[in-house]
Amino acid sequence: MAKVVLKDLTKVFKKGKNLIYASNKINLEVSDGRSFGIVGPSGGGKTTLLRLIAGLELPTDGYIYFDEKMVSAPNRIIVDPADRGIAMVFQNWALYPNMTIYDNIAFPLRNMKVPKAEIDKKVKEVAEILNIQHILDHYPREVSGGQMQRTALARALVKNPKILLLDEPFSNLDAQIRDSARALVRKIQRELKLTTIIVSHDPADIFAITEEAGVIVNGILVQKGNASEIYDNPINETVSKLLGDINIIKAEIKDSHIKLGNIMIPINRKLDKGVIDIGIRPEDIKISETNDIPGFVNVGKVKIKVSSYVAGTFKVVVSPIDDESIELNVNTEKHREAGTDINLFIKPEKIKIFDEKGNKI
């Protein structure tokens, strides 16, 4: 396996008279055998970063090292992609439709002039690991999306790569098999101790697979660390939204409380009085007819405005009774009738507070 080190890595594209920084002085180290996830908006530079690591793009500036060996430098590819010991799984899987599943997996080994008997052994071994041994004589059009994804992964793993790069690998899968695909990749990564870097716009991919994560916005690595830490302590509003559902609301500081209409949320910190933005994730809010929920603080009455059922979860929108312009999205365990007044409970310690520029206070 290999450690990946990026030093001031920069990639600039020209678009007319403008310069687009797809990567802007990125510094990152992914330890040998670890998994690292990169989340960010579309067009934020995630795929370009993978292509730079793979050697498919020239850095405008900065350096890439695998272990202590420099593989890319400003405007130079020092080690060719084929010699980097990498395997890459693309969003569209890029399977050859005129080849069987067996031949798709064997393709890179044949290019490497591996003996036929060794190819057969390796293909069957990786197919068994990924549970696709029974479809080796099928063509991609004859198998499911999940099986195609496993085939793409098998084709990557059959080369015994040092580094596995995953570019939005689950976005084309049905929701019902996405979780099993994530679990499979995580299992393979752990068992083979593969240095793995995955990029995705879906935070669920990052949380399911990686040990550490980073957030890229406009080519800048704005925050990195343990994925759960970033989720709980985002550096700004943009990062908080990229890592999961969150209510962002304008609020007023008054007497050591956050005031949302008739809702008063106690805070254990001193803040200047004035208007701020706060962020509250749906799982840190509850509603109930009771007056007490362990671990939560009762902050007042709200009115249920909308109640719906989405993807296995009951969701409601609530507002303070005296200010319906303020809205909070809450996940609940059962259907709630719109128009009902109910108690609102919040975990104050989980509230994120942002300044007028959207940066965390």
Side-chain angles (χ1 to χ4, degrees), residues 234-240 248 277 353-361:
I235 195 170
N236 56 37
E237 287 186 26
T238 299
V239 171
S240 74
I248 302 291
D277 283 352
I353 302 177
F354 306 103
D355 63 21
E356 68 279 0
K357 294 182 180 179
N359 297 315
K360 188 178 179 185
I361 298 174

Side-chain angles (χ1 to χ4, degrees), residues 254-270:
K254 185 175 182 180
D255 300 328
S256 300
H257 286 72
I258 295 169
K259 186 177 185 300
L260 300 172
N262 64 285
I263 300 302
M264 298 292 285
I265 307 170
I267 50 174
N268 296 322
R269 55 191 292 195
K270 185 174 178 57

